[in-house]
Amino acid sequence: MILTVTLNTALDITYRVRSLRPHASHRVSEVTERPGGKGVNVARVLAALGHEVTVTGFTGGATGRIVQERLAAVPGLADALVPVSGATRRTIAVVDERTGDTTQLNEPGPTITPAEWSAFQEAYADLLHGVSAVALCGSLPPGVPVGAYAGLVRTARAAGIPVLLDTSGEPLRRGVAARPDIIKPNANELAELTGSHEPLRATQDARRRGAGAVVASLGPDGLLAATREGRWRATPPAPVRGNPTGAGDSAVAGLLSGLADHLPWPDRLARATALATATVTAPAAGEFDREMYEELLTGVAVSGEASAA
């Protein structure tokens, strides 16, 4: 079983409009609502791939109840969210059908009290029993210490469980120092962490800072990985048009799925790249075009070399 942690869960609301214009009224052609937050998106993709997955994090208020109701309908996914007094946040994505561009509005999330944070840490430690891998994903809600992910990484490592960290800013900087097995930043997050805008140099520097492996998302250019076993670049066969929201979460799901299936790194990266690309054409984050994914699995180009023994 794989555990995903989303401290700042959300109800993702997507509006589609013909053309988004500032200072204008718009008629919405389609509205979708789905449980969200990075780790929740990862969990939904993992469940769709046939993995048993448990979601934890915080939930509260009417929005939190909607999130849990929607999660209950996902086969293979177990809800272990911890209740809090505040309300789960909402995120609003407005998709411009003319250009394909997406405008994102993210609420900050509920303020977590010290008692609620302590309760979560206890629940997290209990959930680690019987887990094959852990993903720590997304932003921190107000009230959670900036070093929270570093502590959660250490707890997982002490239990002998591989842990993937996907966050940004100071939580990422502190989390890397706790030596997660994998980090999955995008190019901007990686540059902010290392100070280098050259991806290959930056991935190597991030490894020196403590990460066992660094897999950088390069948007439509695929993934770049620096690991103990070697360095590789995975590239989709052609760019696709659509909504890139959630593509990075699907890449995380692909990496975890490959880890659970004991795939070598090149195959993990091909799976992650295919999933990320197939998510761009899907209606919302946490979903992917299965037919496109299966076609892309054999079309993703993976180049690089294994480390010398």
Side-chain angles (χ1 to χ4, degrees):
M1 189 263 289
I2 298 173
L3 176 67
T4 72
V5 175
T6 311
L7 296 178
N8 215 1
T9 53
L11 179 65
D12 287 345
I13 303 169
T14 302
Y15 295 140
R16 301 185 70 89
V17 299
R18 175 170 293 182
S19 177
L20 182 61
R21 305 180 309 280
H23 317 298
S25 296
H26 298 79
R27 290 191 180 276
V28 176
S29 60
E30 182 183 355
V31 181
T32 58
E33 291 186 351
R34 290 173 173 81
K38 292 179 73 64
V40 172
N41 295 336
V42 170
R44 290 170 59 211
V45 173
L46 284 168
L49 291 172
H51 295 280
E52 291 187 1
V53 59
T54 295
V55 171
T56 191
F58 296 112
T59 182
T63 306
R65 288 192 292 274
I66 296 172
V67 167
Q68 291 185 285
E69 289 170 3
R70 300 293 175 87
L71 288 176
V74 180
L77 190 150
D79 170 8
L81 294 169
V82 176
V84 296
S85 58
T88 296
R89 67 185 177 132
R90 296 163 297 179
T91 70
I92 311 296
V94 183
V95 179
D96 185 320
E97 294 177 334
R98 179 178 57 85
T99 65
D101 293 337
T102 300
T103 299
Q104 192 83 16
L105 303 172
N106 297 329
E107 295 180 355
T111 297
I112 305 302
T113 67
E116 289 167 343
W117 174 234
S118 294
F120 173 80
Q121 291 177 87
E122 293 178 8
Y124 171 75
D126 289 341
L127 287 167
L128 291 177
H129 299 293
V131 165
S132 61
V134 177
L136 308 173
C137 304
S139 63
L140 301 178
V144 172
V146 70
Y149 281 135
L152 298 180
V153 168
R154 293 188 187 100
T155 301
R157 286 182 58 81
I161 297 167
V163 56
L164 183 152
L165 177 62
D166 183 15
T167 187
S168 60
E170 190 62 20
L172 175 59
R173 188 180 306 278
R174 298 198 187 192
V176 166
R179 300 187 173 277
D181 295 88
I182 307 170
I183 64 170
K184 205 288 301 166
N186 61 33
N188 290 335
E189 292 162 350
L190 185 61
E192 183 181 7
L193 173 67
T194 65
S196 174
H197 290 272
E198 200 291 304
L200 180 57
R201 178 181 300 173
T203 55
Q204 294 169 329
D205 181 69
R207 282 206 64 217
R208 286 191 291 269
R209 291 168 184 259
V214 181
V215 181
S217 293
L218 304 179
D221 294 326
L223 300 174
L224 177 66
T227 78
R228 295 184 184 92
E229 292 81 3
R231 294 177 294 182
W232 292 275
R233 176 78 173 268
T235 308
V240 298
R241 183 180 177 185
N243 179 6
T245 303
D249 304 333
S250 290
V252 169
L255 294 172
L256 289 170
S257 175
L259 175 65
D261 290 342
H262 307 290
L263 298 181
W265 269 106
D267 293 340
R268 291 189 214 177
L269 295 169
R271 181 176 292 185
T273 301
L275 280 169
T277 305
T279 295
V280 173
T281 61
E287 300 180 6
F288 62 95
D289 183 321
R290 185 171 293 274
E291 183 176 348
M292 175 180 285
Y293 162 65
E294 292 173 352
E295 291 177 358
L296 286 169
L297 270 178
T298 58
V300 172
V302 182
S303 60
E305 58 183 4
S307 299

